[in-house]
Amino acid sequence: MSAILDFTVNLKTPRDVGLAIRQERRRRGLEQKALADKVGVSRQWIIATEQGKAGASLGLVLRTLNVLGLRLSAHPATPTAPDAAFPETRVNIDEVVETARRGRR
């Protein structure tokens, strides 16, 4: 009987991505060379990526995650609250124009 793993990890840095790759590779019992062969990269690339080297190609990282059966998704950090950097605002252009007109009189 196979176990289904359902977990979410917040990946914020290249090191986080590397650790997730290493953890899943080890969980699956794969050596770095075996994973490298499946992904189509060198063992050195797998080592560097697992160490969190920031220069890894996004396409290759996504391919590696796919080979390991991991999915990358993007979600708002707090789905119910607007982002403080981009607050939700609504502007009534008619009010802006009317205010500007009154200011010129």
Side-chain angles (χ1 to χ4, degrees), residues 25-76:
R25 175 184 60 77
R26 286 180 174 170
R27 191 188 74 74
R28 291 173 175 261
L30 288 172
E31 297 291 327
Q32 289 171 328
K33 176 68 173 137
L35 177 57
D37 290 345
K38 288 177 180 269
V39 175
V41 296
S42 69
R43 180 175 172 264
Q44 285 306 115
W45 187 90
I46 296 294
I47 291 169
T49 301
E50 287 185 352
Q51 291 175 347
K53 302 292 181 188
S57 160
L58 180 58
L60 292 177
V61 169
L62 292 173
R63 186 183 322 162
T64 303
L65 293 173
N66 188 49
V67 164
L68 290 170
L70 298 174
R71 298 293 173 255
L72 185 63
S73 343
H75 305 280

Side-chain angles (χ1 to χ4, degrees), residues 69-90:
L70 298 174
R71 298 293 173 255
L72 185 63
S73 343
H75 305 280
T78 54
T80 57
D83 188 338
F86 301 101
E88 184 178 327
T89 57
R90 298 203 172 157

Side-chain angles (χ1 to χ4, degrees), residues 2-3 7 19 24 27-29 34 46 48 65-66 74 81 84 87 93 101 103 105:
S2 66
F7 61 92
L19 290 173
E24 186 62 17
R27 191 188 74 74
R28 291 173 175 261
I46 296 294
L65 293 173
N66 188 49
I93 193 65
R101 285 183 182 156
R105 291 182 192 164

